[in-house]
Amino acid sequence: MLKYIKNVLIAGILLSSTAANAVIIDFNTVIPDEVILVNFNSTGLDWVYAGPIATEEFGSGNIHAPSYRANEGWRFATQLDWSIRPDWTDFIIGSAIVSPVHSYSDHFTYRFASEYWSNFSHVDLNDASVGNITNGLDIGSLNSVWETFYVRDTAQVTVPEPSTIALMALSLFGLIITRRRR
């Protein structure tokens, strides 16, 4: 029993030190698609698992509001968005088996972006698995350590600038060849 208590205390210290020492990734660094549900179920919405607490639940900087990354289009989910939100299991990568445990921090089997929104580097799947998820504003609890999901409209796919120039040059070349043949 004493060994069990010692192990629990050590785990608690490690978990709290991980969160305390984690550094938020600057808002100028774009969140990679690998940790985002891009165009989730073809709904036109991208979803991100932002972190293990509600927006600024433990004070400023613990989990920023979506406006922190407004240049990427992130926002609070509306009621309509929320009605088609992903389940926590949708963030599992591939066919990995992920159990809803406290303080999950493996980016190889689970998509989350806590480090981009907060000074946390984990998510608490045990909260998410029982539906304790908030949009960080007006859906769910903002003071009961619920997980936070943010949303954005899926970016429209555009032809990158170098491709546009190449297509334009190819078209112009085709026009010149056609005129010469006439």
Side-chain angles (χ1 to χ4, degrees):
M1 181 67 172
L2 186 57
K3 186 177 179 180
Y4 175 75
I5 293 172
K6 180 181 172 186
N7 288 340
V8 169
L9 286 174
I10 289 171
I13 290 168
L14 287 174
L15 291 175
S16 64
S17 67
T18 300
N21 293 330
V23 176
I24 187 168
I25 296 174
D26 185 77
F27 65 87
N28 291 312
T29 303
V30 176
I31 299 173
D33 284 348
E34 294 79 42
V35 298
I36 299 170
L37 291 178
V38 177
N39 194 15
F40 175 68
N41 285 344
S42 301
T43 59
L45 298 175
D46 298 341
W47 290 88
V48 67
Y49 202 129
I53 62 172
T55 306
E56 299 187 1
E57 183 171 353
F58 295 155
S60 181
N62 276 145
I63 251 200
H64 288 286
S67 58
Y68 179 71
R69 294 185 162 277
N71 60 330
E72 294 178 54
W74 295 105
R75 60 183 171 77
F76 293 114
T78 65
Q79 289 287 342
L80 181 60
D81 299 335
W82 202 251
S83 68
I84 56 173
R85 78 177 182 281
D87 188 53
W88 74 275
T89 56
D90 292 316
F91 289 91
I92 295 172
I93 297 171
S95 59
I97 297 173
V98 177
S99 61
V101 296
H102 177 72
S103 207
Y104 199 82
S105 58
D106 179 5
H107 282 287
F108 296 108
T109 54
Y110 201 75
R111 287 180 178 85
F112 65 95
S114 301
E115 305 93 334
Y116 293 87
W117 297 100
S118 68
N119 56 1
F120 290 99
S121 59
H122 71 282
V123 293
D124 294 332
L125 301 182
N126 55 338
D127 294 329
S129 69
V130 294
N132 293 343
I133 304 168
T134 179
N135 72 342
L137 178 66
D138 57 359
I139 299 172
S141 177
L142 301 180
N143 57 15
S144 297
V145 232
W146 284 23
E147 309 300 284
T148 300
F149 288 4
Y150 292 142
V151 68
R152 72 177 175 192
D153 298 314
T154 300
Q156 298 299 315
V157 178
T158 57
V159 177
E161 191 59 33
S163 298
T164 304
I165 292 170
L167 285 172
M168 214 164 57
L170 194 57
S171 298
L172 188 58
F173 181 72
L175 264 170
I176 292 170
I177 295 295
T178 305
R179 287 189 96 198
R180 283 189 178 173
R181 285 185 180 172
R182 286 183 185 174

